[in-house]
């Protein structure tokens, strides 16, 4: 779930320049630009997610140790490292932006701006929703699309093969930005909402917190409030609760 657009800093370098990195300079108009099909395996997509997540961790201030935000997230996510067959890892970014996301490799990132406005259960609801995007394959599709529509696409095409190698600094920046700023479809969001609702029930947390989080985000404005049906999605969670109560 893309919540509110984060301003990404893309200047720092995660990977040292080396012969295997793809150089964006001087790329020809061959490959995909000429209509050549490029097939990316699930392993390629997972590898890209590994690199993009590591890049984002380098580009943002990760909160660690005894910091209250880190301690709070650790408490909220206790027992979720292996959730529903997924290997997940969680970190906090110190930024006033209100955001959270999860990549296909299981890295889940929550921003302090979101934590400041949310209760523990509301954060759990957001995390459950994000896990849903991963479990249901939405994050993988989104990463695949980001690869095929970003600088990484040109590098892959220019390399003359379908194998994903180590991406350059510029490609990782564009890939991360494309992934985080892209929106899921309304159908995907609805499916992740339902997953998040069931996640809350499964872990014996209040599922109404997911609805209250939607309403908070809608009232705050920004990307989330313009995403189709924020209030309707909250109402749908309410209807699930009423149905289960009967």
């Amino acid at each position: 779930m893309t919540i509110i657009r984060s301003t990404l800093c893309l200047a720092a370098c995660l990977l040292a320049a080396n012969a295997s990195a793809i150089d964006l300079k001087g790329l020809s108009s061959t490959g995909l630009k000429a209509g050549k099909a490029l097939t990316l395996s699930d392993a390629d997509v997972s590898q890209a997610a590994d690199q993009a997540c590591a890049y984002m961790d380098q580009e943002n201030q990760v909160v660690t140790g005894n910091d209250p935000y880190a301690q709070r997230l650790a408490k909220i996510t206790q027992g979720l490292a292996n959730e529903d067959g997924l290997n997940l890892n969680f970190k906090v970014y110190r930024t006033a932006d209100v955001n959270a996301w999860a990549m296909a490799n299981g890295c889940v990132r929550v921003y302090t701006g979101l934590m400041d406005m949310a209760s523990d259960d509301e954060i759990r609801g957001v995390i459950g929703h994000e896990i849903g995007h991963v479990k249901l394959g939405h994050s993988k599709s989104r990463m695949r699309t980001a690869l095929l529509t970003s600088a990484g696409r040109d590098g892959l095409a220019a390399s003359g093969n379908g194998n994903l190698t180590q991406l350059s600094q510029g490609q990782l920046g564009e890939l991360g930005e494309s992934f985080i700023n892209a929106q899921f479809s309304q159908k995907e969001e609805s499916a992740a909402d339902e997953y998040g609702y069931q996640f809350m029930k499964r872990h014996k947390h209040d599922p109404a917190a997911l609805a209250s989080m939607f309403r908070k985000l809608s009232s705050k404005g920004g990307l989330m409030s313009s995403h189709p049906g924020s209030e309707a999605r909250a109402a749908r969670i309410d209807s699930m609760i009423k149905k289960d109560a009967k």
Side-chain angles (χ1 to χ4, degrees):
M1 176 179 68
T2 299
I3 299 180
I4 293 181
R5 182 173 182 174
S6 167
T7 302
L8 303 177
C9 299
L10 304 174
C13 180
L14 170 66
L15 301 172
N18 57 71
S20 65
I22 302 169
D23 186 2
L24 293 179
K25 296 179 180 179
L27 287 175
S28 67
S29 59
T30 59
L32 288 180
K33 287 187 175 181
K36 178 182 177 181
L38 178 65
T39 301
L40 293 173
S41 68
D42 286 350
D44 288 333
V45 175
S46 181
Q47 181 186 349
D50 286 343
Q51 293 183 46
C53 188
Y55 181 92
M56 294 303 299
D57 285 352
Q58 172 108 359
E59 292 297 299
N60 290 274
Q61 184 181 353
V62 178
V63 181
T64 60
N66 293 323
D67 186 282
Y69 287 108
Q71 293 294 309
R72 185 183 176 198
L73 187 65
K75 178 182 177 182
I76 289 170
T77 61
Q78 186 175 5
L80 296 181
N82 295 287
E83 170 67 18
D84 202 4
L86 300 172
N87 294 320
L88 305 173
N89 68 89
F90 303 88
K91 291 182 181 179
V92 182
Y93 288 171
R94 190 184 302 280
T95 169
D97 295 326
V98 179
N99 205 354
W101 46 264
M103 291 189 180
N105 63 338
C107 77
V108 183
R109 302 295 181 260
V110 182
Y111 293 13
T112 56
L114 174 67
M115 298 182 74
D116 285 341
M117 67 180 289
S119 69
D120 286 0
D121 271 353
E122 286 171 340
I123 296 170
R124 288 186 180 101
V126 171
I127 288 173
H129 177 100
E130 294 299 336
I131 292 173
H133 280 309
V134 177
K135 182 66 180 181
L136 298 172
H138 306 158
S139 295
K140 183 181 294 182
S141 297
R142 186 171 170 182
M143 179 59 72
R144 189 186 305 273
T145 298
L147 274 168
L148 296 177
T149 58
S150 69
R153 166 203 55 189
D154 296 324
L156 286 166
S159 72
N161 60 65
N163 296 319
L164 180 67
T165 58
Q166 191 178 52
L167 297 174
S168 70
Q169 172 192 345
Q171 289 170 314
L172 286 171
E174 188 171 351
L175 178 61
E177 185 174 19
S178 294
F179 177 86
I180 292 170
N181 291 335
Q183 292 188 30
F184 291 109
S185 70
Q186 188 170 0
K187 181 178 179 180
E188 289 172 330
E189 292 288 17
S190 294
D193 288 349
E194 185 167 354
Y195 184 98
Y197 174 81
Q198 296 299 333
F199 168 90
M200 294 294 281
K201 287 182 58 182
R202 185 165 66 249
H203 290 281
K204 304 186 184 307
H205 299 301
D206 184 6
L210 186 56
S212 65
M213 189 74 243
F214 281 137
R215 291 191 170 99
K216 282 185 179 180
L217 293 165
S218 179
S219 65
K220 189 174 180 65
L223 181 61
M224 181 59 189
S225 64
S226 65
H227 198 80
S230 297
E231 282 293 337
R233 290 166 67 188
R236 184 166 176 259
I237 298 298
D238 291 338
S239 69
M240 290 180 191
I241 294 171
K242 291 178 181 178
K243 182 178 178 180
D244 284 346
K246 291 180 180 179

